[in-house]
Coordinates of all heavy atoms in Angstrom, one line a residue:
V7 N 7.7 4.4 5.6 CA 8.1 3.6 4.4 C 7.8 4.6 3.2 O 6.7 5.2 3.1 CB 7.2 2.4 4.2 CG1 7.5 1.6 2.9 CG2 7.5 1.5 5.4
V8 N 8.8 4.7 2.3 CA 8.7 5.5 1.1 C 9.1 4.8 -0.1 O 10.1 4.0 -0.1 CB 9.6 6.8 1.3 CG1 9.5 7.6 0.0 CG2 9.2 7.6 2.5
E9 N 8.3 4.9 -1.1 CA 8.6 4.2 -2.4 C 8.4 5.2 -3.5 O 7.4 5.9 -3.5 CB 7.7 2.9 -2.7 CG 8.0 1.8 -1.8 CD 9.2 1.1 -2.1 OE1 9.7 1.1 -3.3 OE2 9.9 0.5 -1.2
W10 N 9.3 5.2 -4.5 CA 9.1 6.0 -5.6 C 8.7 5.1 -6.8 O 9.2 4.0 -6.9 CB 10.3 6.9 -6.0 CG 11.5 6.1 -6.5 CD1 12.5 5.6 -5.8 CD2 11.7 5.8 -7.9 NE1 13.3 5.0 -6.7 CE2 12.8 5.1 -8.0 CE3 11.0 6.1 -9.1 CZ2 13.4 4.6 -9.1 CZ3 11.5 5.6 -10.3 CH2 12.7 4.8 -10.3
L11 N 7.7 5.6 -7.5 CA 7.2 4.8 -8.7 C 6.9 5.7 -9.9 O 6.5 6.8 -9.7 CB 5.8 4.1 -8.3 CG 5.9 3.1 -7.2 CD1 4.5 2.8 -6.6 CD2 6.6 1.8 -7.6
L12 N 7.1 5.1 -11.0 CA 6.7 5.8 -12.2 C 5.2 5.7 -12.3 O 4.5 4.9 -11.7 CB 7.3 5.0 -13.5 CG 8.8 5.0 -13.6 CD1 9.2 4.1 -14.7 CD2 9.4 6.4 -13.7
S13 N 4.6 6.8 -12.9 CA 3.2 6.9 -12.9 C 2.5 5.6 -13.5 O 1.5 5.2 -12.9 CB 2.7 8.1 -13.7 OG 3.2 8.1 -15.0
A14 N 3.0 5.1 -14.5 CA 2.4 3.9 -15.1 C 2.5 2.7 -14.1 O 1.5 1.9 -14.0 CB 3.1 3.5 -16.4
D15 N 3.5 2.5 -13.4 CA 3.7 1.5 -12.5 C 2.8 1.7 -11.3 O 2.2 0.7 -10.8 CB 5.2 1.4 -12.0 CG 6.1 1.0 -13.0 OD1 5.7 0.3 -14.0 OD2 7.3 1.3 -12.9
F16 N 2.6 2.8 -10.9 CA 1.7 3.2 -9.7 C 0.3 2.8 -10.1 O -0.4 2.3 -9.2 CB 1.8 4.7 -9.4 CG 1.1 5.0 -8.1 CD1 1.5 4.6 -6.9 CD2 0.0 5.8 -8.2 CE1 0.9 5.0 -5.7 CE2 -0.7 6.2 -7.0 CZ -0.3 5.7 -5.8
L17 N -0.1 3.0 -11.3 CA -1.5 2.7 -11.7 C -1.8 1.2 -11.9 O -2.9 0.8 -12.1 CB -1.9 3.5 -13.0 CG -2.0 4.9 -12.8 CD1 -2.1 5.7 -14.2 CD2 -3.2 5.3 -12.0
H18 N -0.7 0.4 -11.9 CA -0.9 -1.0 -12.2 C -0.7 -1.8 -10.8 O 0.1 -2.8 -10.8 CB 0.1 -1.5 -13.2 CG -0.4 -1.2 -14.6 ND1 0.2 0.0 -15.2 CD2 -1.3 -1.6 -15.4 CE1 -0.4 0.2 -16.4 NE2 -1.3 -0.8 -16.5
G19 N -1.3 -1.4 -9.8 CA -1.3 -2.2 -8.5 C -1.2 -1.3 -7.3 O -2.1 -1.3 -6.5
P20 N -0.1 -0.5 -7.1 CA 0.0 0.2 -5.8 C -1.1 1.2 -5.6 O -1.4 1.5 -4.4 CB 1.3 0.9 -5.9 CG 2.1 0.1 -6.8 CD 1.1 -0.5 -7.8
I21 N -1.8 1.7 -6.6 CA -2.9 2.6 -6.4 C -4.0 2.0 -5.5 O -4.7 2.7 -4.8 CB -3.5 3.1 -7.8 CG1 -4.5 4.2 -7.6 CG2 -4.2 1.9 -8.5 CD1 -3.9 5.5 -7.2
A22 N -4.0 0.7 -5.5 CA -5.1 0.0 -4.6 C -4.9 0.1 -3.2 O -5.8 0.0 -2.4 CB -5.0 -1.5 -5.0
I23 N -3.7 0.5 -2.7 CA -3.5 0.7 -1.3 C -3.7 2.1 -0.8 O -3.7 2.4 0.4 CB -2.0 0.2 -0.8 CG1 -1.0 1.2 -1.5 CG2 -1.8 -1.2 -1.1 CD1 0.4 0.9 -0.9
V24 N -4.0 3.0 -1.7 CA -4.3 4.4 -1.4 C -5.6 4.5 -0.8 O -6.7 4.0 -1.3 CB -4.1 5.3 -2.6 CG1 -4.5 6.8 -2.3 CG2 -2.8 5.3 -3.1
E25 N -5.7 5.1 0.4 CA -6.9 5.3 1.1 C -6.9 6.7 1.9 O -5.9 7.4 1.7 CB -7.2 4.2 2.1 CG -6.1 4.1 3.2 CD -6.2 2.8 4.0 OE1 -6.9 1.9 3.6 OE2 -5.6 2.9 5.2
S26 N -8.0 6.9 2.6 CA -8.0 8.2 3.4 C -6.8 8.4 4.2 O -6.3 7.4 4.9 CB -9.3 8.2 4.2 OG -9.4 9.3 5.0
S27 N -6.3 9.6 4.1 CA -5.0 10.0 4.9 C -3.8 9.3 4.4 O -2.7 9.6 5.1 CB -5.3 9.7 6.4 OG -6.3 10.5 6.9
F28 N -3.8 8.5 3.4 CA -2.6 8.0 2.8 C -1.8 9.2 2.2 O -2.4 10.0 1.4 CB -2.9 7.0 1.7 CG -1.8 6.2 1.2 CD1 -1.5 4.9 1.8 CD2 -1.0 6.6 0.1 CE1 -0.4 4.2 1.4 CE2 0.0 5.9 -0.3 CZ 0.3 4.7 0.3
R29 N -0.6 9.3 2.4 CA 0.3 10.4 1.9 C 0.8 10.1 0.5 O 1.5 9.1 0.4 CB 1.3 10.8 2.8 CG 0.8 11.4 4.1 CD 1.9 11.7 5.1 NE 1.3 12.2 6.4 CZ 1.2 11.5 7.4 NH1 1.5 10.2 7.4 NH2 0.6 11.9 8.5
V30 N 0.6 11.0 -0.5 CA 1.1 10.8 -1.8 C 1.8 12.1 -2.2 O 1.2 13.2 -2.1 CB -0.1 10.5 -2.8 CG1 0.4 10.4 -4.2 CG2 -0.9 9.3 -2.4
F31 N 3.0 12.0 -2.6 CA 3.8 13.1 -3.1 C 3.9 12.9 -4.6 O 4.4 11.9 -5.1 CB 5.2 13.2 -2.5 CG 5.2 13.5 -1.0 CD1 5.0 12.5 -0.1 CD2 5.4 14.8 -0.6 CE1 5.0 12.7 1.2 CE2 5.4 15.1 0.8 CZ 5.2 14.1 1.7
L32 N 3.4 13.9 -5.4 CA 3.4 13.8 -6.8 C 4.3 14.8 -7.5 O 4.1 16.0 -7.2 CB 2.0 14.0 -7.4 CG 1.0 13.0 -6.9 CD1 -0.4 13.5 -7.0 CD2 1.2 11.7 -7.6
F33 N 5.2 14.4 -8.3 CA 6.0 15.4 -9.2 C 5.3 15.5 -10.5 O 5.2 14.5 -11.2 CB 7.4 14.8 -9.3 CG 8.2 14.8 -8.0 CD1 8.1 13.7 -7.2 CD2 9.0 15.9 -7.6 CE1 8.8 13.7 -5.9 CE2 9.7 15.9 -6.5 CZ 9.6 14.8 -5.6
T34 N 4.8 16.6 -10.8 CA 3.9 16.8 -11.9 C 4.4 17.9 -12.9 O 3.8 18.9 -13.1 CB 2.4 17.2 -11.5 OG1 2.5 18.4 -10.7 CG2 1.8 16.0 -10.6
P35 N 5.5 17.6 -13.6 CA 6.0 18.6 -14.5 C 5.0 18.5 -15.8 O 4.3 17.6 -15.9 CB 7.4 18.1 -14.9 CG 7.3 16.6 -14.7 CD 6.4 16.4 -13.5
G36 N 5.1 19.5 -16.6 CA 4.4 19.5 -17.8 C 5.0 18.5 -18.8 O 6.1 18.0 -18.5
G37 N 4.3 18.2 -19.8 CA 4.9 17.3 -20.8 C 4.2 16.0 -20.9 O 3.0 15.9 -20.6
V38 N 4.9 15.0 -21.5 CA 4.2 13.7 -21.8 C 3.7 12.9 -20.6 O 2.7 12.1 -20.8 CB 5.2 12.8 -22.6 CG1 5.5 13.4 -23.9 CG2 6.3 12.4 -21.8
T39 N 4.2 13.2 -19.4 CA 3.7 12.4 -18.3 C 2.5 13.0 -17.6 O 1.8 12.4 -16.7 CB 4.8 12.3 -17.2 OG1 5.1 13.6 -16.7 CG2 6.0 11.6 -17.7
W40 N 2.1 14.2 -18.0 CA 1.0 14.9 -17.4 C -0.4 14.2 -17.5 O -1.1 14.1 -16.5 CB 0.8 16.4 -18.0 CG -0.4 17.1 -17.4 CD1 -1.3 17.7 -18.1 CD2 -0.7 17.4 -16.0 NE1 -2.2 18.4 -17.2 CE2 -1.8 18.1 -15.9 CE3 -0.1 16.9 -14.8 CZ2 -2.4 18.5 -14.7 CZ3 -0.6 17.4 -13.6 CH2 -1.8 18.1 -13.6
S41 N -0.7 13.5 -18.5 CA -2.0 12.8 -18.7 C -2.0 11.7 -17.6 O -3.1 11.5 -17.0 CB -2.3 12.4 -20.0 OG -1.3 11.4 -20.4
S42 N -1.0 10.9 -17.5 CA -1.0 9.8 -16.5 C -1.1 10.4 -15.1 O -1.6 9.8 -14.2 CB 0.1 8.9 -16.7 OG 1.4 9.5 -16.5
M43 N -0.4 11.5 -14.8 CA -0.4 12.1 -13.5 C -1.8 12.6 -13.2 O -2.3 12.6 -12.0 CB 0.6 13.3 -13.4 CG 2.1 12.8 -13.5 SD 2.5 11.5 -12.4 CE 2.3 12.2 -10.8
Q44 N -2.6 13.1 -14.1 CA -3.9 13.5 -13.9 C -4.8 12.3 -13.5 O -5.7 12.5 -12.6 CB -4.5 14.1 -15.2 CG -4.1 15.5 -15.6 CD -4.6 16.0 -16.8 OE1 -4.4 15.5 -17.8 NE2 -5.4 17.2 -16.6
T45 N -4.5 11.2 -14.1 CA -5.2 10.0 -13.7 C -5.0 9.6 -12.2 O -5.8 9.4 -11.4 CB -4.8 8.8 -14.6 OG1 -5.1 9.1 -15.9 CG2 -5.6 7.5 -14.2
I46 N -3.7 9.7 -11.9 CA -3.3 9.5 -10.5 C -3.9 10.5 -9.5 O -4.4 10.1 -8.5 CB -1.8 9.4 -10.3 CG1 -1.2 8.2 -11.0 CG2 -1.4 9.4 -8.8 CD1 0.3 8.2 -11.1
L47 N -3.9 11.7 -9.9 CA -4.5 12.8 -9.1 C -6.0 12.5 -8.8 O -6.5 12.7 -7.7 CB -4.4 14.1 -9.7 CG -3.0 14.8 -9.6 CD1 -2.9 16.0 -10.6 CD2 -2.8 15.3 -8.2
G48 N -6.7 12.1 -9.9 CA -8.1 11.8 -9.8 C -8.4 10.6 -8.9 O -9.2 10.7 -8.0
K49 N -7.6 9.5 -9.0 CA -7.8 8.3 -8.3 C -7.5 8.6 -6.8 O -8.2 8.1 -5.8 CB -7.0 7.1 -8.7 CG -7.6 6.7 -10.1 CD -6.8 5.4 -10.6 CE -7.4 5.0 -11.9 NZ -8.6 4.3 -11.8
A50 N -6.4 9.3 -6.5 CA -6.0 9.7 -5.1 C -7.0 10.6 -4.5 O -7.3 10.5 -3.3 CB -4.6 10.2 -5.1
S51 N -7.6 11.5 -5.3 CA -8.6 12.4 -4.7 C -9.8 11.6 -4.4 O -10.4 11.9 -3.3 CB -9.0 13.5 -5.7 OG -7.9 14.4 -5.9
E52 N -10.2 10.7 -5.2 CA -11.4 9.9 -4.9 C -11.2 9.1 -3.6 O -12.1 8.9 -2.8 CB -11.7 8.9 -6.1 CG -12.2 9.5 -7.3 CD -12.2 8.6 -8.5 OE1 -12.1 7.3 -8.3 OE2 -12.4 9.0 -9.6
A53 N -10.0 8.7 -3.3 CA -9.7 7.9 -2.1 C -9.4 8.8 -1.0 O -9.2 8.3 0.1 CB -8.4 7.1 -2.4
K54 N -9.5 10.1 -1.1 CA -9.3 11.1 -0.1 C -7.8 11.0 0.5 O -7.7 11.2 1.7 CB -10.4 10.9 1.0 CG -11.7 11.2 0.5 CD -12.8 11.3 1.6 CE -14.2 11.5 1.1 NZ -14.5 11.7 -0.2
A55 N -6.9 10.8 -0.4 CA -5.5 10.8 0.1 C -5.0 12.2 0.3 O -5.6 13.1 -0.2 CB -4.6 10.1 -1.0
E56 N -4.0 12.3 1.2 CA -3.3 13.6 1.4 C -2.3 13.6 0.4 O -1.4 12.9 0.3 CB -2.7 13.6 2.8 CG -3.7 13.6 4.0 CD -3.0 13.7 5.3 OE1 -1.9 14.4 5.3 OE2 -3.5 13.2 6.2
M57 N -2.4 14.7 -0.5 CA -1.5 14.9 -1.6 C -0.7 16.2 -1.5 O -1.2 17.2 -1.1 CB -2.3 14.9 -2.9 CG -2.9 13.5 -3.2 SD -3.6 13.6 -4.8 CE -5.1 14.4 -4.4
L58 N 0.5 16.1 -1.9 CA 1.3 17.3 -2.1 C 1.9 17.2 -3.5 O 2.6 16.2 -3.9 CB 2.5 17.4 -1.2 CG 3.5 18.5 -1.4 CD1 2.8 19.9 -1.2 CD2 4.7 18.4 -0.6
R59 N 1.6 18.1 -4.4 CA 2.1 18.1 -5.8 C 3.3 19.0 -5.8 O 3.3 20.1 -5.3 CB 1.0 18.6 -6.7 CG -0.1 17.7 -7.0 CD -1.2 18.2 -7.9 NE -1.6 19.4 -7.3 CZ -1.5 20.6 -7.9 NH1 -1.0 20.8 -9.0 NH2 -2.1 21.7 -7.3
I60 N 4.3 18.6 -6.5 CA 5.5 19.4 -6.7 C 5.6 19.6 -8.2 O 5.6 18.6 -9.0 CB 6.7 18.6 -6.1 CG1 6.6 18.4 -4.6 CG2 8.0 19.4 -6.4 CD1 7.5 17.4 -4.0
T61 N 5.6 20.8 -8.6 CA 5.6 21.1 -10.1 C 6.4 22.3 -10.3 O 7.1 22.8 -9.5 CB 4.1 21.3 -10.6 OG1 4.1 21.3 -12.0 CG2 3.4 22.5 -10.0
D62 N 6.4 22.7 -11.6 CA 7.1 23.9 -11.9 C 6.2 24.8 -12.8 O 5.1 24.4 -13.1 CB 8.4 23.6 -12.7 CG 8.2 22.8 -14.0 OD1 7.1 22.8 -14.5 OD2 9.2 22.2 -14.5
R63 N 6.7 25.9 -13.2 CA 5.9 26.9 -14.0 C 5.6 26.4 -15.4 O 4.8 26.9 -16.1 CB 6.5 28.2 -14.0 CG 6.6 28.8 -12.7 CD 6.9 30.3 -12.7 NE 7.2 30.8 -11.4 CZ 6.3 31.2 -10.5 NH1 5.1 31.0 -10.8 NH2 6.7 31.7 -9.3
S64 N 6.2 25.3 -15.9 CA 5.9 24.8 -17.2 C 4.6 24.1 -17.3 O 4.2 23.6 -18.3 CB 7.0 23.8 -17.6 OG 7.0 22.6 -17.0
N65 N 4.0 23.9 -16.1 CA 2.7 23.1 -16.1 C 1.7 24.0 -15.3 O 1.3 23.7 -14.2 CB 2.9 21.8 -15.3 CG 1.7 20.9 -15.5 OD1 0.7 21.3 -16.1 ND2 1.8 19.7 -14.9
P66 N 1.2 25.1 -15.9 CA 0.2 25.9 -15.3 C -1.1 25.2 -14.9 O -1.7 25.5 -14.0 CB 0.0 27.1 -16.3 CG 0.5 26.6 -17.6 CD 1.5 25.5 -17.3
E67 N -1.4 24.2 -15.7 CA -2.7 23.4 -15.4 C -2.6 22.8 -14.0 O -3.6 22.7 -13.3 CB -2.9 22.4 -16.5 CG -4.3 21.8 -16.5 CD -4.4 20.8 -17.6 OE1 -3.7 20.7 -18.6 OE2 -5.5 20.1 -17.5
A68 N -1.4 22.3 -13.7 CA -1.3 21.7 -12.4 C -1.4 22.6 -11.2 O -1.7 22.3 -10.1 CB 0.1 21.0 -12.3

Side-chain angles (χ1 to χ4, degrees):
V7 176
V8 176
E9 288 289 330
W10 70 271
L11 298 164
L12 300 173
S13 57
D15 294 335
F16 188 69
L17 289 170
H18 287 96
I21 190 71
I23 65 170
V24 175
E25 59 186 21
S26 179
S27 300
F28 191 92
R29 292 179 184 100
V30 178
F31 293 82
L32 299 160
F33 293 88
T34 59
V38 298
T39 61
W40 177 233
S41 63
S42 61
M43 294 309 294
Q44 284 178 300
T45 303
I46 291 172
L47 282 165
K49 291 182 180 286
S51 288
E52 289 172 13
K54 298 186 180 4
E56 290 184 31
M57 291 183 283
L58 174 65
R59 288 175 305 116
I60 301 165
T61 190
D62 60 17
R63 295 191 190 281
S64 73
N65 191 0
E67 192 176 350

